[in-house]
Amino acid sequence: MSAIAGIFNFNHGTVLDEHSRSMMRALEKFPADDIQTWQDKEIFLGCHAQWITPESEGEKLPFYSEERRLAITADGIIDNRLELFESLQISIKKQQIITDSELILLSYEKWGEEAPKYLIGDFAFLIWDEKEKQIFGARDFSGSRTLYYYRNKQQIAFCTTIQPILSLPYVKKVLNEDWLSEFLVIPNMIDALDTNSTVYKDIFQLPPSHSIIVNKESIKLKRYSNIGNEKKLVLKSDNEYEEAFLDVFQSAVKARTRTKHKVGAHLSGGLDSSSVASIASRSLEEENKKLFTYSYVPEEGFLDWTPKHRIADERPLIKSTVNHVGNIADTYLDFNGSSPLDEIDEWLEMMEMPYKFFENSFWVKGIFEQAKTDGIKSLLSGQRGNFTISWGPALAYYAILLKQVSLIKLTKEIHAFSKRKNAVPKKVMMAVTKKAFPSIENLVNNKPSYQFPSLINPDFARKTDIYRKVQEYDFDITGTKKLNNFEIRKNHFNHLYHWNATGTSATKLSLRYSLWNRDPTNDLRIVRFCLSVPEGKCVNNGFDRALIRKSMLNYLPDNVRLNQRTRGIQGADWLHRMIPNWNRFTNEISQLLKDEAVLTYLNRSSLETAFNKTKNGVLPNAAFDPDYRTLMRALIVYRFLKMI
């Protein structure tokens, strides 16, 4: 894992030492095991290395091959090493020592610009092809690692983070109003629709699933990976599906424990993180290593206001998993005294842009801090699990059966599902009918759909023509389009804007704390396998998420594995944590509402309406009230605009 940098002068002018030094100095705030550079006239490459895997320790990076006349700097871990050994004909002796960056370089030599298609893992890299006088770079399919760049008529500069690029004397720090308008108008966690843009006008980022070729004639971006049209897998029995799933899942988890150091994992009471932890624990036990788990729990004194089917404190389920699995050193963190308000400036400095996930910001960063203290180098998660390993939306699948008039199967499934959920079959059937025929429901119940309060100033929206742009991306900002779960899943993998925010936070947290956030549920092999599984194997015999529930037999306790009645809810105590800071929070919002410069971007009317709610004090059970969330998002944008 590394922060990488590069400069390429199109006009064959030598890269100035002061420019390369400036970029590398800007990376010095991150811990490093080694810092190296390589330069040859018009090209400069740098690497601020953090060693995670055994092969990376002592690695020479950037690396130049005189034989191939290729140079590489890379930020990545490649997980399909065995497959590449065979394809690239790597000798058994060399397999033990070859680095991931060398595998990338050899892949480029063999497959050229098609090379990223053959790589599985988390990566961003730059290759200088001396013979072709061009740079080739790529970012992994989901954008797990960031790669930014600036270009003008003379040169192009790349880096893992933005600040080193801004340190160059010819780069100006100018707000990208188009990016900001997207950020403000999108109500969910997506930051921007244009995955090539950033918050700064002249700084771009390589989108997920893309490669880039730069030479003196042109800059060409190409999408090399498309997911979602996998052919459905046909096996003979349920057992064969479960065995096939376990095989690919175990491989994905084991690949992400490849380090001489300690391995940790986020652990909640849900299926995804519990399954990852269970498989990882067994794999590590073979190496005489423990798995260290980190679980966020609500602050002491928090009164759980959540409904009966949700759980704010998941400790009983987590401890049940820990006791069943074994070989786990579990840690529970309540971050007493921390609140989202206290974290804003640090997160803005780290993210280099505004962010939306403030409800979880304090505990996400807190877990990384604790993991670093404990010597963790690989921190596992299950963030992508809802769309991969634990996919299986029961009601949406039953709606398909209803539309197909598969009534015998539907009736059997609904009765089994109702029994497991302790629900009334008639009510379940009504819910299924609404999902199957939403237009009928809209005619019967003609209530206007709720819309998240608009955060964007209407004049600013017109200036940036944001609503036309949103239509071009076919993105629904009003919530009026009633997509079913299958359409949502398809969009998740087809539209790259779903990936950027996750990759940005993961990269920058890992650099700051010198440990790598690794998600086996996001492994490309897992993604493709799970997308190929027939829906009837993911919802079966009254179970949603059926494939993973069956596959985890003996791996997880039944109260976790078969739980369909309650689900954890994280960040439910963020407003409770704001109580000691409430006056400071409201005073700052009051100042925001007087700042005419900031209000050229923000919607004064929406903020004033929301601000009126704060005058009655804190209501912790309103943690997910859109008005309170709007105020926090506005405050984050306000602080960012004051910083630049």
Side-chain angles (χ1 to χ4, degrees), residues 358-371:
F358 63 86
E359 297 98 333
N360 301 321
S361 59
F362 63 93
W363 65 261
V364 170
K365 185 169 76 69
I367 284 178
F368 269 81
E369 289 174 345
Q370 185 61 52

Side-chain angles (χ1 to χ4, degrees), residues 360-409:
N360 301 321
S361 59
F362 63 93
W363 65 261
V364 170
K365 185 169 76 69
I367 284 178
F368 269 81
E369 289 174 345
Q370 185 61 52
K372 176 179 173 61
T373 299
D374 294 342
I376 303 298
K377 284 294 184 180
S378 182
L379 184 64
L380 308 180
S381 71
Q383 290 173 282
R384 201 70 64 191
N386 284 341
F387 291 102
T388 57
I389 65 171
S390 64
W391 173 253
L395 297 184
Y397 176 64
Y398 298 157
I400 290 176
L401 294 180
L402 178 59
K403 292 172 79 171
Q404 293 174 344
V405 200
S406 301
L407 300 183
I408 295 176
K409 185 174 183 180

Side-chain angles (χ1 to χ4, degrees), residues 2-6 22-30 48 50 75 124 145-150 157-168 171 198 200 203-205 348-353 503-512:
S2 309
I4 60 175
S22 177
M23 292 189 77
M24 297 307 292
R25 274 198 304 269
L27 291 172
E28 289 177 358
K29 63 182 179 180
F30 302 119
H48 191 91
Q50 297 174 340
D75 169 27
R145 311 301 293 175
T146 52
L147 187 59
Y148 301 99
Y149 64 96
Y150 165 88
F158 292 90
C159 197
T160 304
T161 62
I162 295 175
Q163 187 54 45
I165 297 175
L166 289 172
S167 74
L168 296 170
V171 181
T198 74
Y200 296 108
I203 296 178
F204 303 89
Q205 63 179 324
L348 287 174
E349 189 273 334
M350 180 167 52
M351 289 288 288
E352 306 179 291
M353 57 184 277
T504 302
S505 60
T507 299
K508 294 175 181 181
L509 279 164
S510 65
L511 285 174
R512 182 185 178 109

Side-chain angles (χ1 to χ4, degrees), residues 318-362:
I318 296 169
K319 288 182 177 179
S320 181
T321 294
V322 169
N323 292 336
H324 181 91
V325 171
N327 194 43
I328 289 177
D330 49 326
T331 300
Y332 303 88
L333 301 164
D334 66 4
F335 306 108
N336 186 41
S338 296
S339 82
L341 189 65
D342 299 323
E343 305 290 332
I344 293 175
D345 288 344
E346 277 193 77
W347 269 102
L348 287 174
E349 189 273 334
M350 180 167 52
M351 289 288 288
E352 306 179 291
M353 57 184 277
Y355 61 95
K356 294 179 177 178
F357 47 84
F358 63 86
E359 297 98 333
N360 301 321
S361 59
F362 63 93

Side-chain angles (χ1 to χ4, degrees), residues 592-603:
L592 185 163
L593 288 169
K594 297 174 185 176
D595 193 322
E596 294 298 329
V598 172
L599 290 174
T600 61
Y601 302 115
L602 302 179
N603 189 323

